[in-house]
Amino acid sequence: MKLMTMAVIAGAFASVATAGSANANLSVSASIADNCLITTTSVSFGAYDAISANASTALNGTGAVKVTCTKNAAATVKLGQGANAGGSSTDAAPVRQMSDGSSNVMSYQLYSDSGRTSVWNNDTGVSHTGTGSEVTLTVYGKVPAGQNTLPAGSYNDTVQATVTF
C-alpha cells in the first residue's frame, strides 16, 4: 500500500513537471483617415443706410466658418458664388448679390482677410491644416457704398461653404 501511494504521489509530480506553455504575439492595429467637419456662423451686415451713412462708406460685417479636421490633414475651405450670383460670376471671381426676393439685388463680397482685399472664392479657397480641434476662420464681408437706387426691404443670400480634404 505504501508503495502504491508513493507511485501515485510520484505520478502527480511527474504530470506537473511535464506541463508546458507556449506564446504567440497578438497584433493590434487601427487607422485614422483624414476627416473634417464644417459649420458656419452667418454674416449679418445689419442696416444699410444708402442715403446717409453708406452713401460713401461701405458697410462691413463678419461671420465664420468653423472646421474641425484630423490633425495634420491638408484641407481647403471654399465659399460658393451664392444663390443670387451675378451673370458674369465664376468660381474664381464670384459676383455675389443679396436679393429682396424680387428683381432687386444688393452687391456684396466675402473676404478671407481683415483688410478685405482677398476675395474668398470657390476656386482656390483658403488652405487649412487640421489640428484635431475646431478652428474658426473669420469671414469678412463688405457691402459697397453708394447702392442708393435700391428700395427698402430685406436682402439675403445663401453661400455654400465646403471643406475638401
Side-chain angles (χ1 to χ4, degrees):
M1 181 85 161
K2 283 185 179 182
L3 203 58
M4 188 185 248
T5 306
M6 294 286 280
V8 170
I9 293 173
F13 283 120
S15 66
V16 171
T18 61
S21 66
N23 296 315
N25 293 327
L26 172 66
S27 295
V28 178
S29 64
S31 63
I32 297 176
D34 286 343
N35 193 15
C36 293
L37 302 173
I38 186 169
T39 61
T40 60
T41 302
S42 298
V43 177
S44 180
F45 290 108
Y48 184 85
D49 181 357
I51 302 303
S52 181
N54 302 116
S56 60
T57 303
L59 178 63
N60 292 331
T62 59
V65 174
K66 298 176 182 181
V67 291
T68 305
C69 293
T70 308
K71 185 174 175 91
N72 297 329
T76 303
V77 179
K78 298 178 180 182
L79 295 180
Q81 299 175 45
N84 303 296
S88 62
S89 187
T90 66
D91 280 345
V95 178
R96 295 185 172 115
Q97 302 175 130
M98 292 179 276
S99 172
D100 68 351
S102 65
S103 62
N104 300 302
V105 291
M106 175 185 284
S107 297
Y108 76 98
Q109 196 52 271
L110 302 173
Y111 302 89
S112 59
D113 64 314
S114 61
R116 292 171 172 82
T117 58
S118 295
V119 173
W120 198 330
N121 63 36
N122 199 33
D123 184 38
T124 56
V126 172
S127 295
H128 172 71
T129 301
T131 65
S133 299
E134 183 179 82
V135 175
T136 299
L137 305 172
T138 302
V139 178
Y140 300 92
K142 178 170 74 174
V143 178
Q147 297 187 60
N148 60 346
T149 61
L150 295 173
S154 180
Y155 291 79
N156 300 287
D157 194 19
T158 301
V159 175
Q160 185 173 39
T162 304
V163 61
T164 56
F165 51 93

